[in-house]
């Protein structure tokens, strides 16, 4: 497996400095397992989500969207098995009383407390669902849970969607939304957090066609990662679950793992959930969640193939994958400090900024012209206008956030109506007529492969 040598400390520092990711509640010392997306983080996450919507919903005629609530009837979680099964093994140090995931310690080959070396208790199962209360009284009848996955909102709406949209099996229901898990330990930045967004598809198929569909969706997800998002092929791998690690609902599961700098870890889970969920909800609610084949009149409970990925976990893979350190700096830089420079080689489809526009100097006529050009470009691109610092410094800032093209307006531009376009990856510069700029940038972005 490829070894990823990106320094997480440097990446975390860049993510903060450039406004991708901030620690939650930082001014109060931080909130463990919580992160906030800054302006560029929002843009990157939105681009990833939009691409997912395009590929998983918009471009297909067999998938529709849903947006279900975070809070649901508690019976949902009894039926789904989350109240009895959704737990992690927790161990506590007898000396310092710190708590750890027993399975993580086992993975690392650690048998004593990693903090103080004390003896650890026998692991106990700890339910990961956050609880709160609905209504003014706080008793066992008012307990509700923050959903730990978006999938159940899809299952309980199966019949609503079927009846209202008249979809025919095989078909899917897709949803992007927040999920919450009371994770015990946090490591590795935004890889494992307590509050995250999931992008989930529940694809309903005829029993017997499930394994073929499972294989199809595994590959579909891998292609999405490597072709559309632009992750390097050598960093993403399939890993099939062994029988004993399968979730209680799953017949087969494959993870797409990514080579993060802290190890090769699950990025995306693709599971064959069988008819488990629809049958459980049918039994618990009394409402039969079944499908009648319009041709044969055969009635059956569909099997479900589920590709499920966390937005922040994918965003981290995207940042790591794009993060490129150029030792000794890049040649056009005029800065004195040329030790190393970072280029975020993001795929054009997801780069938060596609075009940066610079006036060469702070002369008003150049600024006015540059702002005018930026305004026109905003109709087609995500644009950032920047007038501060040397051009070299401005290029460097844009390289660090993955901007594809930098457009500089100089005094000649006022005469010859041309600007200089500088390309992120090659650093080539070209004079381009202002009236051809939009087409030029579109053409150029379509030729970039990461
Ligand atoms: N509905 C199936 C399901 O939720 P999962 O494997 O528990 O399955 C699916 O989660 C995906 O959600 C994972 O592959 C991961 O990308 C993301 N995910 C799960 N727990 C997470 C956490 N604590 N922080 C960030 N992402 C998480």
């Amino acid at each position: 497996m490829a070894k990823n040598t990106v320094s997480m400390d440097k990446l975390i520092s860049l993510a903060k400095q450039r406004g991708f990711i901030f620690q939650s509640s930082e001014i109060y010392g931080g909130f463990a397992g919580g992160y906030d997306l800054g302006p560029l983080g929002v843009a990157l996450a939105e681009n990833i989500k939009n691409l997912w919507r395009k590929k998983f919903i918009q471009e297909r005629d067999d998938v529709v969207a849903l947006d279900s609530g975070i809070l649901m009837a508690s019976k949902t979680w009894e039926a789904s098995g989350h109240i009895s099964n959704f737990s992690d093994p927790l161990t506590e140090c007898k000396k310092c009383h710190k708590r750890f995931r027993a399975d993580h310690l086992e993975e690392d080959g650690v048998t004593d407390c990693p903090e103080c070396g004390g003896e650890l208790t026998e692991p106990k199962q700890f339910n990961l669902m956050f609880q709160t209360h609905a209504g003014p009284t706080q008793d066992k009848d008012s307990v509700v849970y923050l959903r730990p996955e978006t999938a159940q909102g899809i299952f309980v709406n199966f019949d609503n969607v079927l009846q209202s949209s008249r979809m025919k099996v095989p078909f899917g229901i897709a949803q992007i939304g927040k999920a919450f898990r009371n994770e015990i330990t946090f490591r590795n930045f935004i890889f494992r957090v307590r509050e995250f967004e999931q992008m989930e598809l529940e694809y309903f198929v005829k029993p017997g066609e499930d394994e073929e569909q499972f294989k199809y969706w595994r590959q579909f997800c891998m292609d999405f990662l490597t072709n559309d998002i632009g992750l390097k092929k050598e960093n993403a791998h399939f890993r099939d679950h062994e029988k004993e690690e399968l979730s209680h609902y799953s017949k087969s599961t494959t993870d797409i793992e990514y080579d993060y700098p802290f190890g090769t870890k699950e990025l995306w889970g693709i599971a064959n959930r069988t008819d488990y969920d629809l049958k459980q909800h049918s039994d618990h609610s009394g409402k039969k969640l079944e499908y009648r084949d319009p041709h044969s009149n055969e009635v059956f409970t569909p099997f479900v193939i589920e590709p499920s990925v966390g937005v922040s976990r994918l965003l981290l893979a995207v940042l790591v994958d794009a993060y490129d350190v150029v030792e000794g700096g890049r040649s056009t830089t005029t800065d004195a400090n040329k030790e190393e420079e970072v280029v975020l080689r993001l795929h054009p489809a997801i780069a938060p900024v596609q075009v940066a526009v610079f006036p060469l100097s702070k002369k008003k006529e150049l600024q006015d012209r540059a702002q005018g050009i930026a305004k026109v470009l905003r109709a087609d691109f995500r644009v950032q206008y920047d007038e501060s610092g040397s051009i070299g410094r401005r290029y460097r800032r844009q390289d660090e956030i993955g901007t594809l093209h930098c457009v500089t307006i100089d005094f000649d531009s006022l005469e010859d109506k041309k600007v200089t376009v500088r390309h992120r990856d090659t650093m080539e510069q070209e004079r381009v007529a202002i009236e051809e700029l939009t087409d030029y940038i579109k053409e150029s972005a379509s030729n970039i492969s990461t």
Side-chain angles (χ1 to χ4, degrees):
M1 305 233 159
K3 172 98 183 75
N4 205 319
T5 54
V6 170
S7 152
M8 281 304 290
D9 287 345
K10 287 185 182 170
L11 183 102
I12 292 168
S13 154
L14 179 100
K16 180 182 172 181
Q17 270 168 18
R18 294 289 174 236
F20 283 96
I21 301 159
F22 307 126
Q23 203 198 353
S24 164
S25 318
E26 193 185 344
I27 61 168
Y28 291 109
F31 173 69
Y35 290 91
D36 299 334
L37 293 179
L40 292 183
V42 173
L44 183 54
E46 283 304 315
N47 296 341
I48 291 172
K49 286 188 276 181
N50 285 337
L51 203 53
W52 185 88
R53 285 190 189 98
K54 183 163 178 269
K55 289 285 155 185
F56 282 77
I57 307 173
Q58 188 191 322
E59 288 184 359
R60 309 182 60 99
D61 62 3
D62 59 349
V63 177
V64 290
L66 182 80
D67 188 359
S68 65
I70 286 169
L71 300 175
M72 301 174 70
S74 293
K75 284 197 166 161
T76 309
W77 309 110
E78 273 171 37
S80 67
H82 281 82
I83 290 179
S84 46
N85 285 318
F86 195 58
S87 53
D88 280 337
L90 177 72
T91 176
E92 187 175 325
C93 172
K94 290 181 179 169
K95 206 161 120 199
C96 71
H97 300 289
K98 290 234 166 79
R99 289 166 176 191
F100 307 94
R101 282 268 299 263
D103 51 337
H104 287 170
L105 296 184
E106 202 182 307
E107 265 171 36
D108 296 347
V110 175
T111 49
D112 296 321
C113 172
E115 297 283 326
C116 73
E119 195 191 335
L120 296 168
T121 60
E122 278 299 308
K124 276 202 195 111
Q125 290 302 319
F126 169 82
N127 195 290
L128 292 181
M129 282 198 292
F130 277 105
Q131 280 186 24
T132 185
H133 293 269
T137 49
Q138 301 211 345
D139 54 31
K140 69 173 182 19
D141 294 330
S142 65
V143 168
V144 287
Y145 300 92
L146 304 193
R147 65 179 176 198
E149 61 173 11
T150 65
Q152 298 304 326
I154 295 179
F155 298 132
V156 301
N157 277 296
F158 171 76
D159 205 53
N160 285 334
V161 174
L162 191 63
Q163 299 309 330
S164 57
S165 62
R166 312 191 61 77
M167 300 299 284
K168 296 200 173 47
V169 167
F171 78 97
I173 305 176
Q175 160 153 245
I176 299 182
K178 284 262 165 120
F180 301 82
R181 296 184 187 182
N182 196 2
E183 302 281 358
I184 309 156
T185 49
F186 309 101
R187 296 187 290 191
N188 310 326
F189 197 30
I190 57 170
F191 178 79
R192 189 183 310 285
V193 284
R194 284 187 167 132
E195 176 183 344
F196 54 98
E197 270 182 304
Q198 284 186 319
M199 303 194 284
E200 298 204 296
L201 167 68
E202 307 303 324
Y203 196 78
F204 301 96
V205 306
K206 198 171 174 189
E209 293 173 7
D210 48 313
E211 280 304 296
E212 192 189 319
Q213 289 282 358
F214 176 66
K215 284 198 198 106
Y216 167 84
W217 283 105
R218 273 164 112 242
Q219 193 56 47
F220 189 89
C221 295
M222 183 61 100
D223 291 345
F224 176 76
L225 289 175
T226 54
N227 299 341
D228 301 296
I229 294 281
L231 293 188
K232 295 187 188 88
K233 285 199 168 77
E234 64 268 27
N235 289 343
H237 326 273
F238 289 119
R239 188 183 72 81
D240 298 331
H241 279 211
E242 303 288 338
K243 276 246 150 3
E244 49 283 7
E245 48 172 333
L246 289 175
S247 307
H248 59 279
Y249 51 73
S250 173
K251 175 172 160 189
S252 36
T253 295
T254 297
D255 288 342
I256 298 181
E257 296 190 329
Y258 179 79
D259 293 330
Y260 291 96
F262 40 84
T264 298
K265 307 261 180 214
E266 172 185 345
L267 164 59
W268 199 327
I270 299 108
N272 179 349
R273 291 184 80 125
T274 68
D275 55 6
Y276 176 85
D277 301 274
L278 290 182
K279 282 210 162 136
Q280 284 292 105
H281 288 302
S282 295
D283 290 350
H284 281 71
S285 69
K287 163 119 190 128
K288 283 263 167 276
L289 300 176
E290 293 173 333
Y291 178 76
R292 178 185 292 276
D293 186 298
H295 300 297
S296 67
N297 263 342
E298 188 192 349
V299 176
F300 58 86
T301 306
F303 270 38
V304 176
I305 308 303
E306 176 196 66
S308 170
V309 63
V311 174
S312 49
R313 202 170 276 193
L314 178 51
L315 191 141
L316 180 57
V318 161
L319 286 177
V320 164
D321 214 73
Y323 191 91
D324 186 19
V325 177
V326 182
E327 299 294 342
R330 305 181 88 192
S331 57
T332 56
T333 306
T334 52
D335 290 353
N337 174 8
K338 279 188 153 196
E339 271 180 11
E340 66 175 38
E341 289 179 22
V342 171
V343 187
L344 216 51
R345 298 191 193 274
L346 294 169
H347 191 281
I350 55 171
V353 181
Q354 292 163 306
V355 192
V357 177
F358 311 150
L360 182 67
S361 80
K362 287 201 168 165
K363 287 272 173 352
K364 180 151 182 346
E365 48 189 332
L366 285 190
Q367 287 183 337
D368 289 349
R369 193 74 187 95
Q371 276 172 349
I373 289 172
K375 194 171 168 198
V376 172
L377 291 174
R378 280 198 179 100
D380 293 280
F381 305 108
R382 299 180 287 273
V383 176
Q384 199 173 78
Y385 172 83
D386 185 4
E387 58 183 31
S388 60
S390 69
I391 288 288
R393 206 176 265 275
R394 282 184 259 174
Y395 281 155
R396 194 167 164 177
R397 271 202 295 264
Q398 296 300 331
D399 283 349
E400 285 185 354
I401 62 172
T403 305
L404 297 153
H405 301 97
C406 293
V407 171
T408 303
I409 291 85
D410 57 26
F411 286 103
D412 289 342
S413 308
L414 303 176
E415 303 300 323
D416 66 4
K417 311 254 179 305
K418 288 183 175 172
V419 290
T420 303
V421 180
R422 184 257 199 188
H423 298 254
R424 176 191 74 192
D425 294 328
T426 58
M427 293 188 301
E428 270 169 22
Q429 302 194 8
E430 249 180 285
R431 285 298 276 181
V432 178
I434 293 170
E435 59 177 25
E436 288 164 16
L437 201 49
T438 296
D439 288 343
Y440 174 87
I441 292 170
K442 277 188 186 162
E443 169 72 19
S444 161
S446 69
N447 290 330
I448 296 176
S449 61
T450 53

